[in-house]
Amino acid sequence: LLSSGFKGDSISSSGENVYILDKNGNRIVSIGIETKKSKVVAGPTLIEKPVDIASYEDSVFVLLSDGIYLVEGTKTRVIEKTWGGDALIHAFAGNLYVLDKSGNAIYRYTGSGGDSYGDQQNWLSSSTKADFTNAIGWSLDGAVYVLYPNSKILKYSQGSPQNFSLKGITPEIGSVDAVYADPDNQYIYFLDRAGKRVVAVEKDGTYKAQYISDQVSEAVALAVSEADKKIILLTGEKLLSIELKGI
């Protein structure tokens, strides 16, 4: 991944690029899915102690201690931190989303062009009670998928909980390590390190396919482009790809 000493923790993808965050190294790099060309998006002089990353089209966002910043040569704070504790971020359809783990809330900030975003809105319906304290990851494709330890996955659509469970997978997944959903994909993808596989399911959780490789056990995150027929695995120091077949 570009240089020695770089170790990726998180991955975000948008269009033809994937973006990798190295938390300890205070760096973000971009890699073209097809071209494999890489470049530094942000370094230690720009970001310090980054928490999470999100991307939409050619815009890259990073969660820092005092809010969410757009990084593009310089950094611009687009959302001031109003949540109390740990959070995760995501970009979807030009809007930014924050999963507030301690506040048990999901906030939406509507994009209005450039680096301007609207006021904080509660995305969950007023009747929905959630507990995100132990959430370890999430992904969005219009619906929201929140991942917890022991393969617990909760799905929300239009702010309300939906029925969702993994079914038809043999052998069963002992522990899901990461989830990837994308509005341009037909399926949802789960990383199963212990099983050395990536599992694709329908949007109701029904098994579709699985992709097995010993190197999957080293992955910490994934992204999937059905258009490019590729599963992208982040192992820390490397990006690996698996060809999508049967989909």
Side-chain angles (χ1 to χ4, degrees), residues 18-19 40 42 48 72 95 109 127 167 179 196 198 215 226 239 246-247:
V18 293
Y19 301 91
V40 176
E48 184 178 359
E72 46 182 1
N95 305 320
Y109 301 84
S127 60
K167 42 193 175 285
V179 56
K196 300 179 181 179
V198 174
Q215 290 176 295
E226 291 179 356
L239 276 184
I247 284 181

Side-chain angles (χ1 to χ4, degrees), residues 58-234:
D58 294 327
S59 297
V60 184
F61 304 90
V62 62
L63 175 61
L64 300 181
S65 60
D66 59 347
I68 301 173
Y69 286 79
L70 173 67
V71 290
E72 46 182 1
T74 59
K75 68 177 181 182
T76 304
R77 188 166 65 177
V78 294
I79 295 173
E80 185 175 352
K81 181 179 179 181
T82 58
W83 49 95
D86 293 339
L88 300 170
I89 64 172
H90 213 290
F92 172 74
N95 305 320
L96 285 171
Y97 294 80
V98 174
L99 187 148
D100 179 0
K101 294 175 70 172
S102 59
N104 297 318
I106 295 175
Y107 305 124
R108 177 176 59 203
Y109 301 84
T110 303
S112 52
D115 56 6
S116 179
Y117 288 83
D119 294 336
Q120 175 180 293
Q121 300 171 317
N122 286 311
W123 184 79
L124 292 175
S125 66
S126 58
S127 60
T128 298
K129 305 301 178 186
D131 183 357
F132 298 134
T133 308
N134 297 318
I136 58 175
W138 72 325
S139 200
L140 280 74
D141 62 1
V144 171
Y145 303 83
V146 183
L147 175 62
Y148 297 81
N150 301 315
S151 301
K152 178 183 175 183
I153 301 135
L154 297 183
K155 178 180 180 179
Y156 298 88
S157 180
Q158 297 182 337
S160 298
Q162 307 291 307
N163 290 327
F164 183 86
S165 61
L166 298 178
K167 42 193 175 285
I169 302 171
T170 304
E172 290 185 2
I173 299 179
S175 178
V176 174
D177 300 291
V179 56
Y180 185 83
D182 187 283
D184 294 328
N185 289 346
Q186 186 176 352
Y187 303 102
I188 312 299
Y189 296 83
F190 294 96
L191 174 64
D192 174 13
R193 282 199 297 259
K196 300 179 181 179
R197 61 183 172 165
V198 174
V199 179
V201 303
E202 306 273 2
K203 296 198 175 182
D204 65 354
T206 303
Y207 172 81
K208 174 63 180 180
Q210 59 184 335
Y211 303 87
I212 301 168
S213 170
D214 286 344
Q215 290 176 295
V216 175
S217 64
E218 305 169 19
V220 296
L222 81 164
V224 181
S225 172
E226 291 179 356
D228 292 310
K229 295 290 184 182
K230 284 184 179 179
I231 299 170
I232 308 295
L233 298 170
L234 172 64

Side-chain angles (χ1 to χ4, degrees), residues 6-25:
F6 187 97
K7 187 173 182 181
D9 301 284
S10 304
I11 186 170
S12 178
S13 68
S14 182
E16 292 300 313
N17 294 313
V18 293
Y19 301 91
I20 312 296
L21 172 64
D22 174 0
K23 294 180 181 179
N24 288 331

Side-chain angles (χ1 to χ4, degrees), residues 35-58:
T35 65
K36 300 181 182 179
K37 290 182 179 179
S38 60
K39 69 176 182 178
V40 176
V41 176
T45 58
L46 199 63
I47 59 174
E48 184 178 359
K49 296 182 180 179
V51 179
D52 200 10
I53 187 175
S55 60
Y56 180 71
E57 294 183 344
D58 294 327

